[in-house]
Amino acid sequence: VGSGLTMIGFDDVSSRLENWESGRADIWNANLQIFSDFPYVGTGTGTHAEVYKMYLDQPFDTREFTHAESSVLQVASETGSAGLCLAALAVLTCLYWCTRGLRITESRRTSLALAAIIGTLAANFTHAFFDVVWYVPGCMVIVIILAASACRLYQLAALTQATDNPESVEHTGGMPVPRFAVACSLLGVGLLGAWMVLQKLPDVFYEPHWHHYLRLSLDADDAEEVSGERELFRKRMLALQAAARANPNNARAQLLLGSGLMTLFSTQQADSQNPMSLAQIRDAALASEFDSLDAQNAWLDVAISDNRKYLDAALHHTRRALELCPMQGRGYLNLAELSFLENLDPGKPNGYIAQALTIRPHDPRVIFIAGREAWTAGDFEQGIAHWKKAFHRSQLYQTFIIQALAPNVPAQFFIETFDPDWAALEVLTKQFKTLNKPEDYALLVRRFADVSVERARGTSGEDAVEAWLHAQRSFDTIGDQARAGACLENALRTDPTSFDAHHAARTWFYQQQKYEQAAEHLVWCSRRRP
């Protein structure tokens, strides 16, 4: 430990241990809740990436916890007490081989080998409490080799003891096995191995297409290589189609392909002679109260023509995705929008949305759409209740809520109902500025200024400077020049080398006709950036 701290540096290790903002403690707590709800056999191996979202109430929109950041906790949540018992049995068996082998061996080389093995396995076991080393094949291959070595060293030590001391009753686990049984066992292992390879082989062909899709979705360099958003979208769809074709049993690829086809329908429909959106088509179909699906299909063939094929394909891939993995909450949102294609019941979408809320109670998109559907149906109270939950979970859906409500409600309603934070107040202020509501706009500007001051006092460095400058501009907007000047002074005092602060001071002093002070800051800025 001392050597490790010397090489790595104590400060780096200490800061790493003190940094819990990555969500590790939250995902551990979520896995403990899963184990509490499914204590016997868990939720099933490989289900963590979908199940934890029912329990983790954190705004991690852009992050996914594919694993639990703890091998032991993931074993507990995915396989319950049964899996924990098997894991404990495996650990105790390895421990027995090592400790018993050390006790009975008379060979120095065997002792050294077993000591090295037990130290390495102990480190792996300790690491497993805080990371997912048991789920990394490259790590576990080494563990398997070490465990097999421990087993064999113990057997050799026991055989040596039995040879030297015939009265020893040490049991090495060996027993005569008929050749026929060996042949049957080898045949069974061979057949099982062949089946396992056939099951996993599609993943091998699927992965390059999936990684290409991820690069197109996440890598800015790829976005710059294509001409226009539509060309980028086309490349993503081709990658998804190739991935789904390579492995038809991958639930996530099927769902993304279904969602992409819905987007493609909207794009194609916008350029058609009858540019109705999917929501408008669904509402019109349900309002028409057709006697049968055939009558509705005949109307759809006329209303959306060839674009109908994209909706049918989207419905197919979404259903396939949910058959493979029913825990994909956003798949039920797709079904809610597409259900009119196969069912005339206007209440059917509500069931799908309720199911989405059941398995994704913290997903901002699910909550937002549930609120939107309730609002559209006239249940404003329920709609607002859903949107209050979504408001602070995602900046994207926060903006959608503001854009939807701002034309219809006063600014005070937002303040009392949603308790907007600093970032939300900034969006609200900009939105009300465009709506030509001077009283509401002034109210929001003053509140934004006060909240900016609180934020500046609670932070430091660049964040504090940014908050002070926001406060200065807000006070300047409402004509409170005294407080605007004070905020500017605080920004300069917080970071005298801030270019933004000096540039804002140059502008403000010039507007106040204090040209000498303005010139000082202007000269400072010009020297910094000639």
Side-chain angles (χ1 to χ4, degrees):
V1 171
S3 300
L5 290 176
T6 301
M7 290 185 290
I8 298 169
F10 178 79
D11 291 339
D12 289 341
V13 175
S14 177
S15 62
R16 176 73 184 270
L17 291 173
E18 292 174 357
N19 180 20
W20 295 97
E21 295 179 0
S22 62
R24 190 172 294 234
D26 297 308
I27 195 64
W28 288 350
N29 185 56
N31 276 267
L32 288 172
Q33 293 180 54
I34 295 171
F35 177 64
S36 176
D37 287 347
F38 303 93
Y40 302 115
V41 292
T43 59
T45 54
T47 59
H48 181 271
E50 300 296 341
V51 175
Y52 85 86
K53 296 174 184 177
M54 291 181 62
Y55 297 85
L56 185 61
D57 186 10
Q58 291 288 338
F60 293 127
D61 283 19
T62 57
R63 182 185 304 175
E64 180 179 48
F65 291 91
T66 57
H67 294 82
E69 302 296 338
S70 168
S71 301
V72 176
L73 284 180
Q74 188 158 342
V75 169
S77 63
E78 289 191 345
T79 60
S81 301
L84 282 177
C85 290
L86 287 174
L89 181 62
V91 171
L92 291 174
T93 301
C94 292
L95 180 64
Y96 173 80
W97 288 333
C98 292
T99 54
R100 184 60 183 165
L102 283 170
R103 288 185 61 186
I104 64 177
T105 187
E106 297 179 357
S107 167
R108 174 178 170 80
R109 294 181 62 190
T110 301
S111 297
L112 289 173
L114 286 171
I117 290 172
I118 194 171
T120 309
L121 292 180
N124 176 273
F125 178 66
T126 305
H127 192 185
F129 278 92
F130 308 100
D131 212 338
V132 289
V133 289
W134 288 356
Y135 289 82
V136 181
C139 295
M140 291 310 293
V141 166
I142 305 300
V143 172
I144 291 170
I145 292 173
L146 290 171
S149 300
C151 175
R152 190 59 182 147
L153 287 170
Y154 158 69
Q155 291 176 346
L156 291 174
L159 287 172
T160 301
Q161 184 190 49
T163 302
D164 296 341
N165 183 11
E167 298 180 359
S168 172
V169 294
E170 185 73 31
H171 179 59
T172 63
M175 60 179 295
V177 180
R179 291 186 176 181
F180 176 75
V182 173
C184 290
S185 298
L186 289 175
L187 178 62
V189 170
L191 292 174
L192 179 63
W195 175 80
M196 292 169 68
V197 169
L198 291 175
Q199 290 295 310
K200 298 304 292 182
L201 199 58
D203 286 334
V204 176
F205 300 111
Y206 152 88
E207 191 160 322
H209 302 295
W210 175 249
H211 284 176
H212 181 51
Y213 166 77
L214 291 179
R215 283 193 297 272
L216 290 172
S217 301
L218 304 175
D219 192 346
D221 293 336
D222 282 345
E224 294 172 359
E225 291 175 4
V226 297
S227 56
E229 188 69 24
R230 291 199 175 188
E231 178 64 15
L232 177 60
F233 176 74
R234 186 186 70 84
K235 288 191 173 186
R236 287 175 182 167
M237 288 297 294
L238 289 175
L240 273 178
Q241 285 180 322
R245 196 179 303 116
N247 185 5
N249 294 324
N250 187 280
R252 184 161 295 189
Q254 293 286 343
L255 179 60
L256 287 171
L257 185 55
S259 300
L261 286 165
M262 293 173 67
T263 303
L264 180 59
F265 168 81
S266 299
T267 303
Q268 296 293 103
Q269 192 65 17
D271 297 334
S272 67
Q273 294 180 349
N274 183 22
M276 295 176 66
S277 67
L278 177 57
Q280 291 172 331
I281 293 169
R282 184 191 70 174
D283 293 342
L286 294 175
S288 299
E289 298 182 351
F290 291 104
D291 295 332
S292 65
L293 280 175
D294 291 336
Q296 178 179 276
N297 288 334
W299 174 78
L300 286 173
D301 291 338
V302 175
I304 58 179
S305 187
D306 292 341
N307 292 336
R308 167 73 186 274
K309 63 186 178 186
Y310 299 121
L311 292 183
D312 291 334
L315 180 62
H316 167 75
H317 287 291
T318 300
R319 283 209 167 279
R320 177 61 180 156
L322 291 174
E323 288 172 4
L324 293 166
C325 178
M327 290 297 296
Q328 298 183 102
R330 298 191 177 187
Y332 295 100
L333 298 182
N334 290 356
L335 286 185
E337 293 191 72
L338 299 171
S339 61
F340 74 98
L341 296 174
E342 58 181 3
N343 196 301
L344 299 177
D345 181 8
K348 195 71 173 177
N350 296 331
Y352 289 129
I353 291 175
Q355 179 66 6
L357 284 171
T358 299
I359 60 177
R360 290 292 181 271
H362 311 300
D363 188 322
R365 182 181 178 185
V366 172
I367 302 170
F368 172 78
I369 291 180
R372 187 187 66 187
E373 292 297 319
W375 186 276
T376 304
D379 190 350
F380 304 122
E381 185 175 346
Q382 184 63 35
I384 293 297
H386 284 307
W387 282 352
K388 284 177 66 176
K389 294 179 182 178
F391 193 81
H392 292 288
R393 284 187 168 91
S394 167
Q395 289 188 349
L396 174 63
Y397 292 100
Q398 182 182 94
T399 302
F400 289 163
I401 293 169
I402 291 172
Q403 292 174 345
L405 291 180
N408 305 307
V409 299
Q412 189 64 35
F413 174 84
F414 276 99
I415 295 172
E416 294 175 353
T417 304
F418 297 106
D419 189 23
D421 56 12
W422 183 74
L425 280 169
E426 185 176 12
V427 177
L428 267 172
T429 304
K430 293 178 179 178
Q431 183 69 27
F432 272 87
K433 184 178 181 179
T434 63
L435 294 175
N436 194 24
K437 295 182 177 181
E439 293 182 2
D440 287 330
Y441 176 63
L443 172 65
L444 288 171
V445 169
R446 179 167 291 281
R447 185 171 180 84
F448 181 57
D450 293 336
V451 173
S452 296
V453 170
E454 293 178 9
R455 176 181 172 85
R457 288 172 176 166
T459 56
S460 60
E462 294 181 3
D463 291 337
V465 171
E466 181 188 16
W468 282 123
L469 294 180
H470 275 292
Q472 179 263 324
R473 286 191 288 268
S474 299
F475 285 124
D476 188 35
T477 299
I478 59 178
D480 192 342
Q481 301 303 334
R483 297 191 67 181
C487 290
L488 198 54
E489 290 178 5
N490 285 324
L492 290 167
R493 191 180 301 113
T494 301
D495 184 4
T497 64
S498 170
F499 181 89
D500 291 337
H502 283 280
H503 193 272
R506 187 273 306 175
T507 304
W508 187 76
F509 281 121
Y510 184 84
Q511 291 172 346
Q512 301 301 309
Q513 298 182 358
K514 297 179 179 180
Y515 301 121
E516 187 175 348
Q517 294 96 319
E520 292 177 7
H521 293 286
L522 180 59
V523 170
W524 190 97
C525 290
S526 66
R527 287 175 177 171
R528 180 61 63 90
R529 298 184 185 176

